[in-house]
Amino acid sequence: MSFVVELWAYMRARKKFWLLPLLLVLLLFGGLLVLAKGSAIAPFIYTIF
């Protein structure tokens, strides 16, 4: 959790708020791939990429 706090402090200090949507999209895709790895919908998700 401290990593998130440090990242937020960095973005506030350096005014790099454009990183937030980028990180959220990366987390979303990563979570989607992890959740779909062992499921029945995995072949459909992999066709997206």
Side-chain angles (χ1 to χ4, degrees):
M1 191 64 176
S2 67
F3 175 73
V4 175
V5 173
E6 285 184 36
L7 184 63
W8 178 249
Y10 171 77
M11 287 192 302
R12 276 186 58 198
R14 304 277 192 246
K15 305 282 192 255
K16 296 196 182 281
F17 294 110
W18 56 269
L19 286 172
L20 190 60
L22 179 71
L23 292 173
L24 290 176
V25 167
L26 286 174
L27 285 173
L28 179 72
F29 280 138
L32 183 66
L33 288 175
V34 167
L35 289 175
K37 186 173 182 169
S39 70
I41 60 168
F44 301 110
I45 291 177
Y46 285 121
T47 59
I48 294 173
F49 301 106

